[in-house]
Amino acid sequence: MAKAIIFDADGMVIVGGERFSTRLAREYGIPQEVTAAFFKNEFQQCLVDKADLRVELTKYIAGWGWKGSVDDLLEYWFSGESKVDERIIVAVKKLRASGTRCHLGTNQEKYRTEYLKHEVHFNGIFDGIFSSAHIGAKKPSVKFFDHVFQTLQPIEKDEIFFWDDTLENVEAARSFGFQSKFYVGYEDFAQQYPSLLSETT
């Protein structure tokens, strides 16, 4: 029985739309080849809070040809990746009402974590957010999953259901001892919790 469910953010709760780098290339003519180095290097450090996204972007945006401020860029970025699957939101509310704890588990730097909490209102929807920036480690590392487990105790590992659309993360969570599920779409998710199927579709 699931006493706690961990939801992946991007690709499960947040859906649709173009990736930031793709949209930046299409709308502002800043090629992905130009932004790729940042995402492969400094951004990875931001995800575990070893670097500050605002500081690191300041080093790049002039070279990219971005005319606005760093804060303008972050608003453009975060607002463009904030569309939620309302079916999942309804499901979360019903699951929580039935006594199941529902958390996000996401690889996220600190500023977007705060944006999701307060601007997308995830603070009021989920019981909490497990963000790599707060943990200091990303999925699929053991440190990430152990932090989740230690926080949720006395819930046992096999009572924690972990959903993700990245197979590597799913396999790592399963190896850790969670009930781990590969997310392919809402319909498949709802079938795992039959009481949701008739109520949220």
Side-chain angles (χ1 to χ4, degrees):
M1 176 182 175
K3 291 188 177 180
I5 301 175
I6 311 301
F7 295 76
D8 185 25
D10 295 299
M12 183 175 184
V13 182
I14 298 172
V15 295
E18 293 177 306
R19 293 176 64 89
F20 167 62
S21 58
T22 304
R23 193 160 56 101
L24 199 62
R26 181 176 58 80
E27 295 183 353
Y28 286 91
I30 301 172
Q32 289 180 276
E33 293 80 5
V34 172
T35 57
F38 167 76
F39 285 104
K40 289 179 181 178
N41 297 295
E42 288 89 344
F43 183 65
Q44 298 305 312
Q45 295 301 302
C46 295
L47 289 175
V48 292
D49 205 30
K50 291 183 178 178
D52 186 288
L53 183 62
R54 281 195 173 97
V55 173
E56 298 306 323
L57 278 173
T58 300
K59 304 171 185 177
Y60 279 89
I61 59 175
W64 289 356
W66 177 259
K67 303 301 183 184
S69 68
V70 169
D71 285 341
D72 292 336
L73 183 61
L74 292 181
E75 175 61 27
Y76 171 77
W77 179 350
F78 298 163
S79 63
E81 296 185 358
S82 60
K83 180 182 177 182
V84 301
D85 187 334
E86 293 294 344
R87 298 170 300 177
I88 291 285
I89 301 303
V90 171
V92 167
K93 291 177 180 178
K94 291 185 179 297
L95 287 162
R96 290 183 68 195
S98 70
T100 303
R101 295 183 64 174
C102 295
H103 292 254
L104 278 184
T106 180
N107 288 343
Q108 214 70 245
E109 58 76 41
K110 64 183 179 182
Y111 295 117
R112 187 162 181 247
T113 298
E114 291 304 303
Y115 188 92
L116 294 177
K117 284 182 178 181
H118 302 296
E119 301 302 322
V120 190
H121 308 297
F122 283 170
N123 247 4
I125 295 170
F126 292 89
D127 288 291
I129 298 178
F130 294 115
S131 169
S132 60
H134 295 161
I135 296 169
K138 298 183 294 182
K139 299 178 289 187
S141 73
V142 170
K143 182 178 178 180
F144 185 97
F145 298 121
D146 189 58
H147 177 89
V148 172
F149 175 56
Q150 296 299 331
T151 302
L152 292 178
Q153 285 185 338
I155 298 175
E156 300 292 340
K157 286 184 180 181
D158 63 359
E159 296 172 324
I160 299 171
F161 280 59
F162 174 88
W163 286 84
D164 204 290
D165 68 343
T166 299
L167 188 57
E168 183 181 13
N169 296 338
V170 172
E171 292 174 343
R174 183 175 296 124
S175 295
F176 184 77
F178 293 164
Q179 297 286 338
S180 191
K181 305 289 186 179
F182 182 60
Y183 186 76
V184 295
Y186 174 77
E187 289 75 13
D188 177 67
F189 168 81
Q191 286 174 4
Q192 309 299 316
Y193 309 96
S195 63
L196 296 177
L197 202 55
S198 61
E199 297 180 11
T200 62
T201 56

